[in-house]
Amino acid sequence: MQRLLVALLAAFDAAIAAAVGLVVLLAPLTLLWTLAFGITADWGALWPLTGTLWELGHGVPLAVTIPDELLVALAIPSEAASFAVSITPLAFLLFTLLFAARSGSRAASAGAWLLGSLSGTVVFAAISTGVALTARLEAVQTPLLLAIVLPAAVYLVGTLCGAVRVAWEEGDGGILDRLHDRIDAGEDWAPVPVAIVRGTAFALVGVVGAAALALAVMTLFRGGEVVALFQSARVDALGATVMTLAQLVYLPTLIVWAASWLAGPGFAVGAGTAVSPAGTQLGVVPGIPVFGLLPENSSMWMLIVVLVPIAAGAFAGWAVRSRLVWEGTPLGMMQRAAIAGGPAGGGAGASGLAAVRAGGWRGPGRRAEVGPSAPAFMLALGLEVLVGAAILLLSPRHRDELAEERTDRWIAEMTELDPSLTSAGAPAAGAVPGIPFSDTQTFDDTAPLDDLRGFTPPRVDRD
């Protein structure tokens, strides 16, 4: 495919990704705006609100300033007039990442992964620039530079991940192939990078799946508290719809909180609060319905949940080790130790980034500290995944595994010595004992037995 066409298609993908994200926000906001204010409402603030929420969904912090007349009307203290909101609704960020990864994969399959990634990122950056310049609210301000850079950075990370994955497997005829050849030159360490990436993916999938399951279980057992908080809010159907949609876009953020709880450090819902398996210490919790899922108390016995990330690490180690055995790739202790440390480091890095985006400031006063602590989450999850992966990867190899490896090595040596043997160690089809394999290829099925060289017919005794 021509490089220009690849660049154009990647640019079109980026434009579609940005448009879909904006439309997903604009469509329900338009409907709610109409129901709340009617057809004659002032539509001038609808687009700035949409753009500001889209920027928040990509990690851009918001600086909120409540007008003076609203402070007086609602009797809000003056010290609470200005506050920051930085907790990202990760649903929008994940959508951009996945869409960008798909675009990068297609560009790599077409043979121009780098050009396609850069083309899509440039278009997405241009769109984010337009949104940042046009979507400005007086009461809610966003840093202009971050509003331009952060959405483009999210798209760049996604498209590079998708492109490099495909180009590494299929080859790109350029820098990745040269890097691949250099890694393959060290035979003992050649399988290590791919095994690390595979183990990291399995570990993250295990932790995220367990966190999502834990959140579902809490919803099942504490759904009544959520309903009670909805009722105590005393909102109409429109208000309940807005609250429900807002909580849905924060669902991936809540999964990050649940993962931090499973890892042990837990999370905070305000200054001086803590929600962890070791104990729960809460003050006055905001009446947001989803906070009804918070456990009222904890027990030291609940620390057993830290076995879940260890199990995820063990699952990653088992998956990597099984693949290496299946491929017949024996590795030394140093290589296996590096593979065990890879998922731990990757999981710690991913958890740190997720904690930064899923935590931060949510309002004035004591609500300025919300979400998991990134350093504690990184340290706990990294160590737990390391323990689980090391159990499977550094343990002595099973005798069946060693026997299979010795059998494969023996078959390979015998095949080199005698080409008539197949990979299964049996004589090849058409081979006759005592006769060179090359001579058996010219046998005639109708030739007399006496013409076979080296063949002695069996002696038959006649009575």
Side-chain angles (χ1 to χ4, degrees):
M1 185 179 294
Q2 296 182 358
R3 298 174 64 85
L4 178 60
L5 183 58
V6 173
L8 292 176
L9 290 176
F12 183 73
D13 284 342
I16 291 296
V20 170
L22 289 168
V23 169
V24 166
L25 274 169
L26 185 60
L29 283 178
T30 303
L31 179 60
L32 295 174
W33 201 272
T34 304
L35 294 176
F37 303 107
I39 301 298
T40 60
D42 181 15
W43 296 90
L46 184 58
W47 165 249
L49 178 60
T50 301
T52 300
L53 293 178
W54 184 79
E55 292 167 352
L56 176 64
H58 289 85
V60 181
L62 307 181
V64 181
T65 303
I66 303 177
D68 295 337
E69 57 273 15
L70 192 58
L71 288 176
V72 176
L74 299 179
I76 300 176
S78 58
E79 58 270 14
S82 299
F83 56 91
V85 176
S86 64
I87 301 179
T88 305
L90 293 177
F92 296 104
L93 190 146
L94 290 177
F95 169 79
T96 300
L97 278 176
L98 295 176
F99 207 104
R102 179 175 176 270
S103 176
S105 300
R106 298 201 307 184
S109 300
W113 66 272
L114 185 57
L115 177 63
S117 299
L118 293 178
S119 174
T121 303
V122 168
V123 171
F124 202 88
I127 296 175
S128 64
T129 301
V131 173
L133 293 176
T134 58
R136 309 293 292 180
L137 289 173
E138 294 183 2
V140 182
Q141 296 292 327
T142 57
L144 182 60
L145 181 60
L146 293 180
I148 296 173
V149 172
L150 287 183
V154 171
Y155 191 89
L156 178 61
V157 170
T159 188
L160 284 180
C161 289
V164 170
R165 182 189 65 83
V166 174
W168 185 267
E169 295 176 354
E170 300 180 358
D172 68 333
I175 183 173
L176 288 182
D177 280 348
R178 291 193 295 271
L179 180 60
H180 203 294
D181 294 339
R182 180 166 296 184
I183 293 176
D184 289 343
E187 296 181 358
D188 294 339
W189 292 90
V192 172
V194 176
I196 288 176
V197 174
R198 182 178 293 115
T200 302
F202 275 103
L204 290 178
V205 168
V207 171
V208 172
L213 180 61
L215 186 61
V217 171
M218 291 301 295
T219 304
L220 178 64
F221 285 99
R222 296 187 59 84
E225 285 75 5
V226 176
V227 175
L229 286 176
F230 262 113
Q231 294 174 345
S232 63
R234 299 185 182 277
V235 294
D236 56 7
L238 181 61
T241 302
V242 172
M243 295 175 64
T244 302
L245 292 177
Q247 292 172 108
L248 284 177
V249 296
Y250 273 100
L251 181 59
T253 305
L254 297 177
I255 292 177
V256 175
W257 292 16
S260 181
W261 188 85
L262 291 176
F267 54 91
V269 291
T273 64
V275 181
S276 69
T280 299
Q281 181 179 355
L282 295 175
V284 179
V285 178
I288 301 176
V290 72
F291 282 171
L293 300 179
L294 297 177
E296 296 180 355
N297 49 52
S298 300
S299 171
M300 291 297 295
W301 290 103
M302 296 185 70
L303 284 173
I304 197 173
V305 297
V306 301
L307 294 177
V308 173
I310 296 177
F315 172 64
W318 170 81
V320 172
R321 182 166 180 165
S322 300
R323 182 62 178 264
L324 292 174
V325 172
W326 181 77
E327 293 176 347
T329 308
L331 293 177
M333 183 61 68
M334 293 296 296
Q335 289 82 2
R336 286 186 287 162
I339 295 175
S351 63
L353 291 175
V356 170
R357 296 271 59 89
W361 305 280
R362 194 190 57 81
R366 62 187 302 272
R367 287 185 290 276
E369 299 178 11
V370 179
S373 171
F377 189 19
M378 291 176 61
L379 180 61
L381 187 66
L383 290 177
E384 290 159 1
V385 171
L386 177 61
V387 170
I391 291 175
L392 267 294
L393 287 169
L394 301 183
S395 60
R397 289 182 288 180
H398 193 267
R399 58 185 179 182
D400 293 340
E401 182 181 335
L402 294 173
E404 182 180 354
E405 180 181 331
R406 288 195 295 266
T407 301
D408 294 339
R409 189 183 303 114
W410 179 83
I411 292 174
E413 294 174 354
M414 292 298 100
T415 303
E416 293 178 359
L417 295 175
D418 189 354
S420 65
L421 296 176
T422 63
S423 59
V432 178
I435 303 177
F437 181 72
S438 58
D439 293 343
T440 63
Q441 304 303 308
T442 59
F443 283 171
D444 187 356
D445 293 340
T446 62
L449 292 178
D450 294 340
D451 293 341
L452 297 177
R453 293 176 294 166
F455 178 79
T456 303
R459 179 177 179 182
V460 179
D461 295 331
R462 298 180 182 276
D463 295 334

